[in-house]
Amino acid sequence: MKTPLRVAVTGAAGQIGYSLLFRIASGAMFGPDQPVILQLIEAPVEKVMLALAGVAMELEDCAFPLLKGIVQTSDPAIGFKDANWCLLIGAKPRGPGMERADLLKDNGKIFIGQGRVIDAVAAADARVCVVGNPANTNCMIAASQAKRLPPERFTAMVRLDQNRAQTQLAQKAGVDLTAVKDIFIYGNHSPSMFPAYAQATINGKPATSVITDTAWLQGPFCEIVGKRGAAVIAARGLSSAASAANALVDHVRSLVTPGAIHSLAVKSNGHYGFDANVWAGMPVRTTTPGSYEVITGHAMDDFAKSKLAATNKELVEERAFVAEMIA
Ligand code: NAD
Ligand code: LMR
């Protein structure tokens, strides 16, 4: 029996939390032979902590063989203690008519405190994945507080966008989803993101030789993927939750699987023209469990370059907007 991994989850009683925790406990995130201890962190509000207790009861009632313990707390110092993985979901979601960046000032503050506490009390091998919006900039804020954990340990989620892009390409080409490979998301988790269709393949051929409608690829495809979150909010009245939880399972599963190639928002060191020190989506290859290298050298045409410049500009503006929150 492996040693249980301690997995801290913020916003555990929220929508995404409710779709996520059962999949972590079932083994979907870390594998069928990896026990876990869930360290559930919520806001210090009586009603919310009661809801969290209900979620914990349901987790117990599933009798998951891999679930070796549940911590329920509103104290981050308890919740992040010795955590190997810190999944930062707890934050306000946007409502209809809002952009994710509208959440910056409110949600950004949460990530200052959490970044500091994680750095102080989490396990030496801790990895931090940020989902709470605006995810890229919140991740940068959390990482900026860390003195012990290196910035590469902090990643933000663009996997939902990758999954959305994969489905859109498959539907357009009229092929099974699994025929679409190597579709990566560059930049911000916002409408400015760039799903780099020219790098994708469909049944092993360049996607652009299968979908020859360049106007669709440059227009509706980028637009549908970039604005899918708003479309879900408009339809459901609530932001995406089950698909976001699923994407986080994919994000972490790929990150613990050596050789996996996938999109992560990571600290830029100037890759693909992104400003140093913004967290931008880009393709990575997992090297050892929890570690990755950025895949560099993908060629970019003029259209791609203009999209990268636009999403980089937005990330730089978000960083300027929260300058006082960055340590
Ligand atoms: P939700 O409102 O249902 O749940 C959020 C939970 O976070 C609430 O239970 C709240 O009490 C808790 N919370 C708030 N502040 C906290 C704190 N300081 N510490 C711990 N918990 C705290 O929202 P949701 O639908 O679960 O979405 C959560 C976040 O994820 C939102 O910001 C949303 O926009 C974002 N999101 C990101 C993606 C992505 O692809 N990156 C996708 C979907 C949603
Ligand atoms: C999404 O992409 O579905 C989430 O980021 C929620 C949102 O605000 O769009």
Side-chain angles (χ1 to χ4, degrees), residues 13 46-56:
E46 202 181 330
K47 199 168 155 225
V48 176
M49 291 308 291
L50 187 59
L52 185 63
V55 175

Side-chain angles (χ1 to χ4, degrees), residues 94 96-100 164 191 226-236:
R94 66 174 164 155
M98 291 167 75
E99 278 308 333
R100 297 183 186 95
R164 288 167 170 165
K227 297 193 172 162
R228 187 69 159 190
V232 171
I233 290 169
R236 236 168 69 82

Side-chain angles (χ1 to χ4, degrees), residues 9-17 41-45 48 76 88-94 100 103 107 110 114 130-135 138 156-161 164 189 236 239-241 244 247:
V9 181
T10 68
Q15 281 205 91
I16 297 176
I41 307 170
E42 257 299 347
V45 175
V48 176
L88 307 189
I89 301 162
K92 261 196 211 162
R94 66 174 164 155
R100 297 183 186 95
L103 301 169
N107 284 348
I110 296 174
Q114 291 184 350
V130 177
V131 173
N133 276 319
N138 288 336
M157 189 170 91
V158 287
R159 185 58 172 266
L160 180 53
D161 312 301
R164 288 167 170 165
H189 173 61
R236 236 168 69 82
S239 89
S240 59

Side-chain angles (χ1 to χ4, degrees), residues 4 21 69-70 74 83 92-93 121 129 138 151 167 182 185 190 213 229 245 256 261 299 303 305-306:
L21 299 176
I70 305 173
S74 58
K92 261 196 211 162
V121 305
C129 308
N138 288 336
T167 297
D182 290 346
I185 303 297
S190 82
D213 183 351
V256 296
I261 294 179
F303 176 76
K305 282 183 190 152
S306 71

